[in-house]
Amino acid sequence: MTLSVEPAFVGAGCNRIVNNVSWGPSGLVAFGAQNAVAVFCPQNAVAVFCPQSAQILTTLPRHKAVVNCTLWLPSNKDAHKVLNAEVHYLLSGSSDGLLVVWEMHLKRREWRSVLQVSERHKKGITCLSGLMISPTKAMFVSTSSDALICTWELIFPSSMSGDCKISCLESFSVGSKPMVALSLAVLPGDTGKVILAMGGLDQKIYIYLGQFTGKFVRVCELKAHTDWIRSLDFSLPVCLDGQKESLFLVSSSQDRSIRIWKMVMCSSLANPQMPLRKERIGLASYIEGPLFMADSNSYQVSLESLLVGHEDWVYSVEWQPPFFDGSKAHQPMSILSASMDKTMMIWRPEESTGIWLNVVSVGELSHSALGFYGGHWASDGESILAHGYGGSFHLWRNTGVDYENWKPQNVPSGHFASVSDIAWSKNGEYILSVSHDQTTRVFAPWHSEASLEERISWHEIARPQVHGHDINCVAIIQGSGNHRFVSGADEKVARVFESPLSFLKTLNHAIQKSCCFEDICEVQVLGANMSALGLSQKPIYAHATGEVPSRLQNDVADSLETIPDAVPAVLTVPPVEEQLAYHTLWPESHKLYGHGNELFAICCDHKGMLVASSCKAQSVAVAEIWLWKVGSWKAVGRLQSHNLTVTQMEFSHDDSFLLSVSRDRHFSIFSIDNSGECETSYRLVAKHEAHKRIIWACSWNPFGNQFATGSRDKTVKVWAIEGGSSVKQLCILPQFHDSVTALAWLGIDRSRNAGTLAVGMDNGLLELWSVSGGQITVGDSESPPFGAVLAIRLSPFLCHVSTVLRLAWREPESHGGDPSLMELASCGADQTVRVFKVFDH
């Protein structure tokens, strides 16, 4: 068997860090997703190469710690210096001090790590700022939480076969309080000087002057903000009303204000040694401002404007990217700000008075969630992007012709914490995932006929559960009837959810065919409301939608402190974050009480009759597995065998056995009889110490009573049940490079007992193994002995960058039974959900 793998979907949330996102002139957005650098193309963005909009194109694996900041070179300000460049570069810095340089070939869609530096910064890199000196040379500055500033020179190759070279020009400490904001620019005038602004925890903005070879010297301080400086950005030189070129610096702070500083050359002084003004700078003296020297030139800094409009910390300010007239760049006088009040604002000076005003405001004042960590312009200035506290992106595009009309656009979405479990729906229409970000999400392929040919792109279409505890496990209820699932979190209660009418109709729009069960008309629940504590979700009935919600009758002042009432609606286009956050919840139908500790694993049989659950445990009594009857949701069994936490369970495909694996290094097999009308019967068939370390994963062969187990001891073992009461080992796969944390077995050819076993590891890598043989065939003739061969080892650019936590194959019948196409879903601690298309050639 020859297999090939293509990525179909990557869903990931953005790290909740201020300088984490960078939008480059290529039209691509880079951001940190846990330890990876993810790249996506926004919808309707101007992109040099963008095969899929609103989709994550790739994740770049190199960092071993959380990615804090990213920076494109060239940036939007420098795009005119490298017109028509086929290669762009991306810098990324992580919380362990590692700095990585990535090379991206736009047309060939190739990515590679060309440099990494780890010896300079000993703590997390918090900000990057750079500029292009020439088409083959760049300069950038980095700062870290150990209060160290480093200036770098980056030499790009003149040909595709060349190598990048990096050198540290200078490094210096700024004292005990680290800098968290940087901005680098060329000083106006033919000075050959570079100006660096930095700000941080001591509320001051420091201005440094240096050369292209480094050697920065502090020349002045700007004192006005009353809290931490969070963002700084230099404009390109601006010539206003025939005056000399001025340089503008915009700053934002946790004091909720934005300040614009103007720097202009006063004169060329006869005495270059003239001392700088050192008197104490107060608010009144900003009419003149501090002076600094650059060789024989004197520059004056003044406060141009104070912008007040946000209701919370202003985390980000950014000048609109320049527009180009040939090779000359023109700086628009327009600033974008993003705040924790969950709004972004565009500020521009009024033409007649020059007073800066807020001319555009997008977003909404936060109800119960915190707001935006950063805001960014597209290179054409017609789109703006924010990333928020919930790991989400928010994109608006100006769709107006004669006036500005900013409309929300689709963006990638995903979890912003470890994704602990996934499951395919019973007919394979969508994936359900749960995470330690306390949400349950539905991802589905959306069929669009906007063009002549049908396009399919994956989107998050619902957020059924928004909880108050980290969610650890989930199981889809199989069988006929409405879509239901059971989830378990860091609480002692399992919760059952049932899909509302709005979701069923939205799903029909997504896949463009009726996927619902026959009795859809009997579904009376339209959606659900979130409770104030984020636990139970109460149903909204279809016949009650015309009633005024009681919470809307509260005072306006109180309404900002409560969760908004959901307005369920049938979605005909992929939803944006504002719709997903509150309006796509599923109602909770039952709670399952019984476990003594936090839920850890859960599964459902293939007929949709029984659910098994387990919790964290350190004793036999607590480690028991509970069986629940679907429908009545009564406990019908308590299975005891393990001494420690049961890490995974799975019913055999004929539902006659339940397999469980545990931290106690044993697996247990229980026979289950649920065929009659009497009570469910069960018994322990086998218990075996299978591995030398914790067993993390197990999976049944769909064609028989064979199963695989995977362990921290880096091995996968395949077992078979003989005679219904004994277990023998069939084979041990060659030892893997890391702990085995996830397994999934797909059946392909029943006559040969052939299938594909997917293996996920602690380092995030994935392997597919072809397995066959080992079954008794018709006529009592022995089949070939069981064998396993490595079919393909997936590229690290396709895999996770942290622990693979669950793997799940889509049932072959779900995509027409095409034997040459298989679909594998995976999730991991790198906060991503991934779908792979696997082709058998």
Side-chain angles (χ1 to χ4, degrees):
M1 179 187 294
T2 303
L3 300 180
S4 63
V5 178
E6 293 181 359
F9 169 69
V10 179
C14 181
N15 291 341
R16 300 186 291 176
I17 303 169
V18 175
N19 298 308
N20 190 36
V21 177
S22 179
W23 197 346
S26 64
L28 300 181
V29 175
F31 68 96
Q34 212 245 4
N35 296 354
V37 178
V39 179
F40 79 91
C41 178
Q43 185 179 20
N44 298 324
V46 178
V48 175
F49 178 77
C50 188
Q52 290 181 305
S53 65
Q55 301 289 299
I56 294 177
L57 304 179
T58 189
T59 54
L60 307 177
R62 182 65 61 182
H63 292 282
K64 301 301 181 184
V66 172
V67 176
N68 284 343
C69 49
T70 58
L71 175 68
W72 285 103
L73 287 176
S75 66
N76 286 329
K77 295 177 184 176
D78 296 323
H80 63 288
K81 299 180 181 178
V82 286
L83 293 174
N84 304 318
E86 293 186 357
V87 177
H88 284 215
Y89 294 86
L90 176 66
L91 309 179
S92 59
S94 57
S95 59
D96 60 356
L98 178 65
L99 180 68
V100 180
V101 181
W102 308 89
E103 181 185 89
M104 181 192 70
H105 195 286
L106 299 177
K107 293 184 179 179
R108 295 209 298 250
R109 195 182 172 185
E110 293 177 353
W111 324 76
R112 69 186 183 106
S113 168
V114 292
L115 286 170
Q116 63 181 55
V117 182
S118 59
E119 65 270 11
R120 286 291 176 178
H121 292 290
K122 303 304 179 185
K123 292 189 177 181
I125 299 173
T126 55
C127 188
L128 296 168
S129 181
L131 55 87
M132 297 293 295
I133 300 173
S134 70
T136 59
K137 183 185 293 187
M139 180 181 187
F140 70 94
V141 185
S142 60
T143 181
S144 58
S145 54
D146 57 4
L148 188 68
I149 307 293
C150 292
T151 59
W152 308 81
E153 183 182 64
L154 191 57
I155 305 297
F156 302 123
S158 55
S159 63
M160 293 299 298
S161 59
D163 295 325
C164 282
K165 296 179 181 179
I166 191 172
S167 58
C168 182
L169 302 175
E170 182 185 13
S171 62
F172 56 93
S173 177
V174 292
S176 60
K177 295 185 177 181
M179 299 292 108
V180 296
L182 298 172
S183 186
L184 188 66
V186 177
L187 194 66
D190 298 326
T191 62
K193 295 284 187 179
V194 181
I195 185 169
L196 171 65
M198 62 180 72
L201 280 56
D202 62 357
Q203 309 172 13
K204 302 175 185 177
I205 300 171
Y206 298 95
I207 304 298
Y208 283 74
L209 282 184
Q211 302 172 351
F212 291 120
T213 56
K215 301 178 182 178
F216 280 90
V217 177
R218 185 191 298 183
V219 294
C220 71
E221 300 176 4
L222 306 180
K223 303 176 184 178
H225 288 291
T226 59
D227 208 333
W228 291 6
I229 310 297
R230 298 312 307 230
S231 182
L232 296 167
D233 191 33
F234 276 116
S235 69
L236 290 183
V238 177
C239 187
L240 298 176
D241 301 327
Q243 299 176 359
K244 294 181 180 179
E245 282 188 327
S246 303
L247 191 66
F248 288 90
L249 172 68
V250 60
S251 62
S252 70
S253 167
Q254 291 181 186
D255 63 10
R256 308 182 183 184
S257 70
I258 301 166
R259 294 174 187 266
I260 303 173
W261 311 85
K262 182 178 180 182
M263 302 178 185
V264 62
M265 185 169 66
C266 299
S267 61
S268 178
L269 301 178
N271 181 11
Q273 302 301 321
M274 177 181 174
L276 300 181
R277 295 174 48 171
K278 295 184 178 181
E279 69 269 17
R280 181 179 178 85
I281 301 299
L283 289 176
S285 63
Y286 272 92
I287 298 173
E288 296 182 354
L291 295 171
F292 64 85
M293 300 287 296
D295 294 332
S296 60
N297 298 317
S298 173
Y299 288 81
Q300 185 177 45
V301 183
S302 60
L303 181 63
E304 174 76 7
S305 187
L306 169 64
L307 311 182
V308 179
H310 286 291
E311 300 293 328
D312 209 334
W313 297 354
V314 185
Y315 266 133
S316 170
V317 283
E318 186 175 292
W319 287 95
Q320 181 177 334
F323 60 89
F324 304 107
D325 180 10
S327 61
K328 188 173 179 59
H330 300 274
Q331 174 67 63
M333 298 302 286
S334 181
I335 294 170
L336 176 68
S337 63
S339 167
M340 262 295 165
D341 65 9
K342 212 172 183 182
T343 63
M344 282 203 300
M345 295 181 180
I346 297 177
W347 306 81
R348 297 192 187 108
E350 192 180 40
E351 290 185 9
S352 58
T353 63
I355 297 175
W356 285 78
L357 300 175
N358 168 26
V359 295
V360 175
S361 182
V362 296
E364 57 184 13
L365 284 178
S366 175
H367 291 273
S368 59
L370 296 177
F372 298 147
Y373 278 111
H376 304 272
W377 292 94
S379 58
D380 63 353
E382 293 298 315
S383 297
I384 53 177
L385 177 75
H387 64 103
Y389 180 79
S392 57
F393 286 104
H394 306 255
L395 176 66
W396 288 268
R397 183 163 181 83
N398 182 15
T399 59
V401 179
D402 298 324
Y403 61 94
E404 290 188 80
N405 185 20
W406 295 85
K407 294 293 186 181
Q409 306 291 315
N410 284 117
V411 285
S413 65
H415 295 282
F416 60 89
S418 174
V419 186
S420 46
D421 203 357
I422 53 170
W424 286 95
S425 66
K426 52 190 177 183
N427 295 319
E429 307 100 335
Y430 59 84
I431 295 171
L432 191 72
S433 62
V434 296
S435 166
H436 289 173
D437 68 4
Q438 305 184 351
T439 66
T440 300
R441 305 185 188 223
V442 172
F443 298 95
W446 195 285
H447 296 244
S448 172
E449 295 180 346
S451 56
L452 295 177
E453 58 182 31
E454 184 183 46
R455 285 181 55 248
I456 300 176
S457 56
W458 282 76
H459 298 274
E460 182 182 351
I461 65 168
R463 203 164 295 171
Q465 184 183 8
V466 178
H467 202 39
H469 298 284
D470 294 0
I471 308 176
N472 298 321
C473 50
V474 69
I476 296 280
I477 306 301
Q478 303 297 320
S480 60
N482 197 0
H483 297 253
R484 293 174 292 176
F485 71 87
V486 186
S487 67
D490 276 346
E491 56 178 345
K492 302 175 184 179
V493 183
R495 299 173 185 269
V496 184
F497 296 85
E498 187 165 340
S499 68
L501 187 62
S502 59
F503 172 79
L504 297 174
K505 293 183 177 180
T506 296
L507 187 60
N508 285 343
H509 280 289
I511 65 175
Q512 294 194 347
K513 65 180 180 179
S514 178
C515 63
C516 301
F517 56 97
E518 297 177 356
D519 299 328
I520 183 175
C521 297
E522 296 183 2
V523 177
Q524 298 297 316
V525 177
L526 188 61
N529 264 321
M530 192 189 310
S531 69
L533 295 178
L535 296 176
S536 298
Q537 294 171 191
K538 304 301 181 184
I540 300 174
Y541 292 96
H543 59 78
T545 55
E547 300 177 5
V548 178
S550 59
R551 270 182 271 174
L552 294 183
Q553 301 171 1
N554 295 338
D555 295 335
V556 175
D558 292 337
S559 65
L560 293 178
E561 303 301 327
T562 61
I563 298 168
D565 284 276
V567 184
V570 178
L571 304 172
T572 57
V573 293
V576 295
E577 176 66 24
E578 285 73 16
Q579 294 169 307
L580 290 167
Y582 300 109
H583 307 310
T584 59
L585 295 170
W586 291 18
E588 179 184 313
S589 60
H590 294 86
K591 295 181 179 68
L592 310 183
Y593 295 95
H595 285 289
N597 284 331
E598 298 90 342
L599 272 292
F600 194 84
I602 203 162
C603 70
C604 179
D605 67 2
H606 297 80
K607 298 174 184 175
M609 299 176 68
L610 286 177
V611 167
S613 61
S614 68
C615 69
K616 298 177 182 179
Q618 292 184 335
S619 66
V620 175
V622 181
E624 61 188 3
I625 299 168
W626 285 59
L627 295 179
W628 310 88
K629 187 78 170 179
V630 173
S632 66
W633 296 110
K634 293 181 179 179
V636 294
R638 297 168 65 173
L639 286 56
Q640 289 192 357
S641 174
H642 295 287
N643 300 319
L644 298 173
T645 304
V646 174
T647 54
Q648 190 178 357
M649 301 170 292
E650 189 173 302
F651 285 91
S652 61
H653 282 252
D654 61 2
D655 292 335
S656 59
F657 295 104
L658 174 65
L659 169 65
S660 62
V661 294
S662 168
R663 298 178 69 97
D664 64 9
R665 308 174 186 178
H666 291 72
F667 68 73
S668 296
I669 298 175
F670 301 89
S671 66
I672 306 293
D673 185 2
N674 194 42
S675 57
E677 296 182 359
C678 59
E679 294 184 359
T680 302
S681 62
Y682 51 87
R683 67 182 179 90
L684 179 64
V685 172
K687 180 180 179 180
H688 188 73
E689 184 174 359
H691 292 269
K692 298 178 181 178
R693 304 289 299 275
I694 294 171
I695 307 176
W696 284 122
C698 62
S699 186
W700 285 96
N701 178 359
F703 297 148
N705 293 331
Q706 299 171 338
F707 61 91
T709 57
S711 166
R712 184 181 281 176
D713 64 10
K714 304 180 182 180
T715 62
V716 171
K717 299 182 180 181
V718 182
W719 313 80
I721 300 177
E722 291 187 328
S725 59
S726 63
V727 176
K728 77 168 184 176
Q729 181 177 305
L730 294 180
C731 79
I732 304 178
L733 272 62
Q735 191 166 36
F736 292 85
H737 297 295
D738 210 338
S739 303
V740 176
T741 54
L743 295 171
W745 196 326
L746 175 70
I748 295 177
D749 186 349
R750 184 179 292 273
S751 64
R752 298 187 298 112
N753 191 36
T756 300
L757 181 64
V759 181
M761 287 170 275
D762 195 40
N763 57 12
L765 299 182
L766 296 168
E767 294 182 4
L768 301 182
W769 289 72
S770 297
V771 294
S772 61
Q775 284 282 79
I776 303 293
T777 58
V778 178
D780 293 335
S781 61
E782 291 286 342
S783 69
F786 187 89
V789 178
L790 177 63
I792 188 171
R793 182 175 288 120
L794 272 66
S795 164
F797 285 87
L798 298 179
C799 297
H800 296 270
V801 296
S802 294
T803 308
V804 181
L805 294 176
R806 192 73 77 230
L807 295 168
W809 289 101
R810 187 182 184 189
E811 291 296 330
E813 295 80 9
S814 302
H815 42 75
D818 182 1
S820 65
L821 172 63
M822 300 166 275
E823 286 185 288
L824 174 67
S826 67
C827 67
D830 62 352
Q831 67 199 37
T832 65
V833 174
R834 299 170 187 260
V835 179
F836 305 95
K837 288 185 178 180
V838 182
F839 299 93
D840 181 9
H841 302 286

